[in-house]
Structures are given as C-alpha cells and as structure tokens.
C-alpha cells in the first residue's frame, strides 16, 4: 500500500493530466470556431459567385464615340456587357470587329485565365472576342476611376497599367490580363483606379493598349 506522499504525487499527476486535456479541448474548440468562420466566409463568397451576372454583349457605340475614345499612344480592346439574358442573345445581332489571330488568341487566353470569366461557354467567349474593339489611350490616362459606374471590360494587349485603391498601389498589369469585370459582374461601382503607365525606358514608344467590350 502506497504512502500518503505517493498518493499525493499520483493525484497531482492526474490533475496535471486533466489540465492538459482541458487545454487540448480549448485548443480544439478554438480551431473549430476558426473553421466555422472560414466556412461562413467561403459560403458568402460562394453566394456572390452564384449571383454573378452572365456576361452578354449589346450593340456597340456609335463610330464617332469610338473615335473619340481612341488615342494615339495607348490602345485597348474593350467590350460592353448588356442587360440581356444570355438566352436572348440568339435574337440579337452582335457587332463584329476584325482583328489579328494574335489579338484573338490573347483575348481568349486572358478570359480563360480570369477567375470570374473562365467558366463561360466557349461560344460566349468567342462572341466576346468578336465584339471587342481596339481603343487607344494617351500618356498617363485614367482608364478606370474608383467609385465610377462602369460599363466596360478590358483586356490588356500591350504595355502596362497601374492599379490603385484609395491611392495605394495594388499591382501593375501587363498584356493578357482582364480588368474592369468586377463592376459589371457584381453590378457595383468601380473597385479600383486603373491608369496607363509611361514607358520606363527613355525613347521607348510602346505603351499600354487593350481591347474593350461594352456590357
């Protein structure tokens, strides 16, 4: 039979074991709460994606408006989304703008690389490619302004643009990138400002160009 000291030592060991188990339970409960919060955030994002409007295209700007948008130093290809349901597009005559095979491939690859547009049907992507038209922008042009109502989606074709939010630089984008799609897909104002960047090398004339579509 153990002595009183042995019993006390055994009791202390049991108490310490219980404390460790309680600490483990607390840690697991905290981890579970964190996972619950993550699931909630993911569910919220999933709900947003489910509510995304399927991009469609409508009649293009008047030719005079297109010329007004063009600038000699920067080119872009732009397309404007419409309020049509995608099922109604079979009754709509969509504009077509000839472009080089390289431009077609660049636009298609940019769309397939975009998280918000890559799940479109190939026929829809082809319609967007066909409807996009080139636009030019001057040096240091403001292509998109944060807070404005947006109706244009862009695909960079050449050069670079700077993306800022609340005057803080987020990133620089080059050819083959889509921008401006969030305001269209979520029916909200522009979430960031996009400006054309000046050439970094003295004497270099290549500056950002893009394709755009009105939505």
């Amino acid at each position: 039979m153990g002595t009183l000291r042995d019993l006390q030592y055994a009791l202390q060991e049991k108490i310490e074991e219980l404390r460790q188990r309680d600490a483990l339970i607390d840690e697991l409960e905290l981890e579970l709460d964190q996972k619950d919060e993550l699931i909630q955030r993911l569910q919220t994002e999933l709900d947003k994606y489910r509510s995304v409007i399927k991009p469609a295209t409508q009649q293009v700007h008047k030719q005079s408006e297109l010329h007004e948008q063009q600038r000699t130093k920067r080119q872009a290809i732009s397309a404007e989304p419409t309020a049509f349901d995608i099922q109604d597009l079979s009754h709509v005559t969509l504009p077509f703008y000839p472009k080089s095979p390289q431009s077609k491939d660049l636009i298609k690859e940019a769309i397939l690389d975009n998280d918000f547009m890559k799940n479109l049907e190939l026929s829809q992507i082809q319609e967007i490619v066909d409807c996009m038209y080139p636009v030019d922008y001057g040096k240091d042009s403001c292509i998109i302004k944060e807070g404005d109502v947006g109706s244009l989606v862009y695909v960079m074709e050449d050069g670079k643009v700077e993306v800022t939010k609340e005057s803080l630089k987020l990133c620089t984008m080059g050819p083959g990138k889509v921008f401006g799609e969030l305001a269209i897909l979520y029916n909200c104002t522009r979430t960031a400002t996009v400006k054309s960047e000046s050439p970094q090398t003295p004497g270099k004339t290549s500056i950002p160009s893009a394709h755009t579509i009105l939505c």
Side-chain angles (χ1 to χ4, degrees):
M1 182 174 181
T3 64
L4 178 59
R5 179 171 294 181
D6 292 336
L7 293 175
Q8 289 176 338
Y9 181 76
L11 179 60
Q12 289 176 351
E13 284 187 333
K14 288 296 182 181
I15 291 175
E16 182 62 26
E17 182 180 348
L18 290 175
R19 286 177 179 173
Q20 291 177 358
R21 289 182 180 180
D22 288 342
L24 178 60
I25 291 174
D26 291 340
E27 183 179 344
L28 292 175
E29 287 180 344
L30 178 60
E31 182 178 350
L32 183 59
D33 290 340
Q34 292 173 342
K35 289 185 176 180
D36 285 341
E37 292 178 0
L38 176 60
I39 291 173
Q40 184 63 39
R41 290 199 302 270
L42 292 175
Q43 184 63 50
T44 300
E45 291 300 318
L46 180 60
D47 291 341
K48 284 184 179 180
Y49 294 148
R50 286 174 175 170
S51 65
V52 166
I53 303 171
K54 291 183 177 180
T57 57
Q58 67 178 180
Q59 297 296 336
V60 73
H61 295 304
K62 295 179 181 179
Q63 192 66 26
S64 60
E65 294 176 340
L66 175 60
H67 290 321
E68 186 176 350
Q69 290 177 346
Q70 292 179 333
R71 297 295 181 269
T72 56
K73 293 275 183 160
R74 285 182 197 275
Q75 294 183 339
I77 295 179
S78 171
E80 303 188 14
T82 68
F84 287 106
D85 186 275
I86 202 70
Q87 302 299 326
D88 296 333
L89 290 180
S90 58
H91 306 294
V92 177
T93 301
L94 300 174
F96 174 81
Y97 289 91
K99 50 185 69 70
S100 68
Q102 292 81 2
S103 291
K104 291 180 180 180
D105 290 341
L106 181 141
I107 298 171
K108 182 178 179 180
E109 291 174 6
I111 293 173
L112 292 175
D113 187 53
N114 183 270
D115 291 337
F116 299 96
M117 302 180 71
K118 64 184 179 182
N119 293 322
L120 291 173
E121 296 180 3
L122 289 178
S123 60
Q124 295 172 329
I125 293 176
Q126 187 59 51
E127 288 176 347
I128 294 175
V129 171
D130 291 341
C131 294
M132 281 193 144
Y133 57 88
V135 293
D136 298 335
Y137 291 94
K139 178 181 177 181
D140 297 325
S141 294
C142 182
I143 303 172
I144 288 178
K145 184 178 180 181
E146 182 180 357
D148 283 356
V149 175
S151 61
L152 293 171
V153 177
Y154 299 85
V155 174
M156 283 296 300
E157 185 174 39
D158 188 25
K160 295 180 180 180
V161 293
E162 181 183 78
V163 183
T164 60
K165 183 175 180 63
E166 297 178 354
S167 300
L168 296 177
K169 182 176 179 179
L170 300 180
C171 65
T172 298
M173 292 192 299
K177 291 297 182 181
V178 176
F179 63 93
E181 77 281 10
L182 293 181
I184 310 303
L185 297 176
Y186 290 108
N187 193 28
C188 61
T189 57
R190 295 297 193 185
T191 58
T193 295
V194 179
K195 292 184 177 180
S196 58
E197 282 195 346
S198 300
Q200 298 289 327
T201 305
K204 186 178 179 181
T205 58
S206 175
I207 50 180
S209 66
H211 293 267
T212 182
I213 184 169
L214 176 63
C215 303

